C-alpha cells in the first residue's frame, strides 16, 4: 500500500530565506510523486511532478524537489521565500499505470514573515 | 485557471438531507475523480469515473454516489447527510492515465447542520 508522511504540519520562514518542506513516501511499486499547493479559498494547483524521469524536478514559482529512492523522500525546496508562497502544501503519491487515485499527505502550512 | 469548475461554491444542508454537487471538466478529459477534504486534513479519494463508468472507489459508504456525462460534466451525490460529511469537496479532471496530472476545481464547501 502507498502512503505519504509530511513531517511538519507547520513551517515558518522569513521572506528571502530558504524553504524546506519534508515528505516521505511508502510505495511497493514505482511511484509517481507530486507537490500541490492550496491557497486560501482556492483549489489545488500542481507545483511539480516526478514520474521516473530526472530525479531533480523543477516546478513553478522557483520550487524544486528531489526524488531519493534510498531515503524514500521527496522534499520540496525553494531558495528564497516570497510572501505569496504562504499556503498549504500537499505531497501526493500515486501508482504508475492506469489507476489515478491520488494519496495525499496531511499537508504542511507554510507561513512567510516579512 | 485549471478549466475545471464546480458548483455551488458553498452549501448548507440539514442532517438527513440529500445533496448533489456538480463539476464541469476540461473538454477531452475522460477521467474525473472526487475528493473529500475535511478541515485541517488532506483530500481523501472518494471515487473515479472513466467514460461514464466508475472504475475506482475509496473507503466511502454507498450513500456517496456519482455520475459522469458525455459532455464532461459530473455529479457527486450524497444521501442521508451526516454532520461528518461537512467538508470541502474537490473535483479533479484527468486528461489521461499516462500523465497522472490532475486539474482540480475550486471545490464546494458543504456544511451539514
Amino acid at each position: 500500500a502507498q502512503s505519504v508522511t509530511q513531517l511538519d504540519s507547520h513551517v515558518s520562514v522569513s521572506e528571502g530565506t530558504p524553504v524546506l518542506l519534508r515528505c516521505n513516501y511508502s510505495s511497493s511499486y514505482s511511484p509517481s510523486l507530486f507537490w500541490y499547493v492550496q491557497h486560501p479559498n482556492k483549489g489545488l494547483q500542481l507545483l511539480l511532478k516526478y514520474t521516473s524521469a530526472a530525479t531533480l524536478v523543477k516546478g513553478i514559482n522557483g520550487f524544486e524537489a528531489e526524488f531519493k529512492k534510498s531515503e524514500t523522500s521527496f522534499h520540496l525546496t525553494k531558495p528564497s521565500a516570497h510572501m505569496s508562497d504562504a499556503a498549504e502544501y500537499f505531497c501526493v503519491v500515486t501508482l504508475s499505470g492506469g489507476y489515478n487515485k491520488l494519496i495525499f499527505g496531511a499537508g504542511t502550512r507554510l507561513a512567510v514573515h516579512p | 485557471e485549471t478549466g475545471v469548475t464546480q458548483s455551488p461554491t458553498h452549501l448548507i444542508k440539514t442532517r438527513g438531507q440529500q445533496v448533489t454537487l456538480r463539476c464541469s471538466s476540461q473538454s477531452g478529459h475522460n477521467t474525473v475523480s472526487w475528493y473529500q477534504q475535511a478541515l485541517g486534513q488532506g483530500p481523501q479519494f472518494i471515487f473515479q469515473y472513466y467514460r461514464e463508468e466508475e472504475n475506482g472507489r475509496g473507503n466511502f459508504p454507498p450513500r456517496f454516489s456519482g455520475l459522469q456525462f458525455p459532455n464532461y460534466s459530473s455529479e457527486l451525490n450524497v444521501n442521508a447527510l451526516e454532520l461528518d460529511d461537512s467538508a470541502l469537496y474537490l473535483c479533479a479532471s484527468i486528461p489521461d492515465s499516462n500523465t497522472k496530472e490532475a486539474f482540480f476545481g475550486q471545490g464546494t464547501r458543504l456544511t451539514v447542520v
Side-chain angles (χ1 to χ4, degrees), chain B residues 59-79:
Chain B
N59 189 26
F60 281 81
R63 60 189 184 84
F64 285 77
S65 63
L67 287 171
Q68 185 187 26
F69 303 101
N71 66 351
Y72 303 107
S73 66
S74 60
E75 292 180 354
L76 164 65
N77 299 291
V78 187
N79 294 323

Side-chain angles (χ1 to χ4, degrees), chain B:
Chain B
E1 292 296 328
T2 63
V4 180
T5 57
Q6 293 185 243
S7 63
T9 55
H10 295 81
L11 198 54
I12 300 175
K13 288 287 191 177
T14 303
R15 188 172 49 184
Q17 284 188 316
Q18 178 267 343
V19 69
T20 297
L21 310 182
R22 294 180 172 82
C23 172
S24 178
S25 300
Q26 289 194 29
S27 179
H29 289 194
N30 294 313
T31 300
V32 64
S33 300
W34 286 88
Y35 290 80
Q36 179 195 67
Q37 185 179 14
L39 199 62
Q41 298 181 24
Q44 300 290 316
F45 176 77
I46 302 175
F47 46 57
Q48 176 175 287
Y49 279 77
Y50 174 72
R51 294 189 174 181
E52 304 164 49
E53 296 284 335
E54 183 181 304
N55 72 341
R57 191 173 185 90
N59 189 26
F60 281 81
R63 60 189 184 84
F64 285 77
S65 63
L67 287 171
Q68 185 187 26
F69 303 101
N71 66 351
Y72 303 107
S73 66
S74 60
E75 292 180 354
L76 164 65
N77 299 291
V78 187
N79 294 323
L81 283 167
E82 300 176 1
L83 297 179
D84 285 349
D85 295 334
S86 296
L88 179 68
Y89 289 85
L90 295 161
C91 163
S93 172
I94 301 165
D96 64 72
S97 61
N98 292 325
T99 65
K100 297 294 184 180
E101 182 171 345
F103 297 84
F104 284 86
Q106 302 237 46
T108 294
R109 173 76 61 189
L110 173 65
T111 303
V112 182
V113 298

Side-chain angles (χ1 to χ4, degrees), chain A residues 37-58:
Chain A
V37 61
Q38 188 175 38
H39 288 91
N41 300 316
K42 293 193 174 182
L44 292 158
Q45 181 184 19
L46 180 67
L47 278 179
L48 49 81
K49 61 182 178 181
Y50 166 79
T51 53
S52 75
T55 56
L56 182 62
V57 181
K58 294 188 182 297

